[in-house]
Amino acid sequence: YDEPFRGEIIDYFFKPQFGASLDILKVEVGGDGQNTLGTSSSHQHTKDEAPDFSRGMLWWLMAQVQVRRGDVQFYGLPWCYPGWVKSPYSPEAAEYLATWLDGARGKNLPVSFIGVSQNERAPCDKAKPISKHSDSLRCDGITLKRAAFDAHGHTRVKIVAPDAFDFDRTNGDVIMMKNSSDVVWSDVDIVGVHGAAPLSDLYGPLQSWLTEESTNSSKPLWNSENEAGYMGVRFLARALVRAYVETNA
């Protein structure tokens, strides 16, 4: 959009006591891949490339929001990784996210929260069970990322997981993290779920897919993504209210 319309849209979302007055902006950690609605550039296309934090439009958006609301909190989540990062559970992925946090800090856009696996992907590596006699999966990627963040001086950045929709409605991602190890579970600060009030249930009885594994997990529970598809803002408002009523998310 051209100005002044572009600025007015940002005002309606984030300006305090004006419009939605949102105080958290969730952005993609660019990874050079399709993210449903487009492609966000990576800050590091190859492993040997020096990070470049001038790419993409999200840094600009974060700065614009910060001008309007100085107390805004930023929240990052990768939808994908560049090809040299072979797995979202790897040490390379941990360093990649830590470097992105470095870039945000360098721009005076400090990030408060980050999703640590990949959008709507299990937080634990399904290829690596704890042992051949166990159904529990290794979630070491979470601990790798916590260690990388701390090593880069991002000790106050809180980890949100799984940042996913539980398609079989078993709360399996939360159970995975809890059963992996006490260290992994302690590294998760916030249980973030997608679609705490699914679109298909908007007119049905108050029955969330979340069970006590999520709602009584000892962690704050966030409805970290919800939508109304193409049904309009009235349905989005209904979904958000229902998520809060049902689960306090």
Side-chain angles (χ1 to χ4, degrees):
Y1 296 95
D2 295 328
E3 295 293 356
F5 309 111
R6 182 171 60 186
E8 289 173 351
I9 292 169
I10 300 173
D11 287 344
Y12 278 119
F13 276 108
F14 294 101
K15 191 175 179 180
Q17 299 180 341
F18 184 83
S21 193
L22 302 176
D23 58 6
I24 296 178
L25 172 62
K26 186 176 183 179
V27 298
E28 179 185 2
V29 179
D32 289 337
Q34 173 58 250
N35 65 5
T36 306
L37 297 176
T39 300
S40 291
S41 181
S42 167
H43 59 274
Q44 193 173 5
H45 296 311
T46 67
K47 186 174 183 178
D48 297 328
E49 178 189 40
D52 183 347
F53 302 108
S54 66
R55 297 170 180 154
M57 52 77 65
L58 292 175
W59 300 115
W60 172 87
L61 178 61
M62 292 166 73
Q64 289 293 311
V65 171
Q66 189 182 64
V67 167
R68 289 161 170 80
R69 184 170 195 125
D71 63 346
V72 67
Q73 297 183 89
F74 296 118
Y75 174 176
L77 175 66
W79 265 248
C80 60
Y81 292 86
W84 61 270
V85 178
K86 299 304 182 184
S87 165
Y89 314 109
S90 65
E92 290 81 9
E95 189 65 21
Y96 184 78
L97 293 184
T99 302
W100 183 82
L101 292 173
D102 292 345
R105 181 175 57 194
K107 291 178 174 289
N108 195 29
L109 300 168
V111 174
S112 300
F113 314 101
I114 191 162
V116 293
S117 177
Q118 187 172 328
N119 181 57
E120 297 191 342
R121 181 164 178 168
C124 307
D125 190 347
K126 292 185 177 181
K128 295 182 178 179
I130 291 175
S131 74
K132 64 181 180 180
H133 305 295
S134 173
D135 292 330
S136 296
L137 305 177
R138 290 196 182 278
C139 300
D140 300 353
I142 295 173
T143 300
L144 285 173
K145 293 183 177 78
R146 179 74 272 167
F149 300 163
D150 292 350
H152 282 246
H154 303 293
T155 57
R156 295 186 179 183
V157 175
K158 294 185 176 181
I159 287 177
V160 184
D163 237 326
F165 183 80
D166 195 338
F167 291 97
D168 60 6
R169 302 194 175 195
T170 62
N171 291 252
D173 287 339
V174 177
I175 295 170
M176 255 190 267
M177 294 187 296
K178 291 176 74 173
N179 289 350
S180 179
S181 75
D182 291 341
V183 173
V184 167
W185 186 235
S186 68
D187 284 338
V188 176
D189 297 293
I190 297 160
V191 173
V193 298
H194 293 188
L199 192 60
S200 59
D201 293 344
L202 285 177
Y203 285 120
L206 290 177
Q207 184 178 2
S208 172
W209 60 267
L210 295 170
T211 69
E212 290 188 1
E213 288 289 351
S214 294
T215 55
N216 294 331
S217 68
S218 78
K219 309 283 185 181
L221 176 63
W222 282 11
N223 185 25
S224 56
E225 179 183 309
N226 224 120
E227 62 172 307
Y230 298 102
M231 300 172 70
V233 68
R234 181 167 62 94
F235 289 89
L236 177 60
R238 181 179 173 88
L240 296 176
V241 169
R242 291 194 61 166
Y244 180 76
V245 170
E246 294 180 42
T247 66
N248 200 33

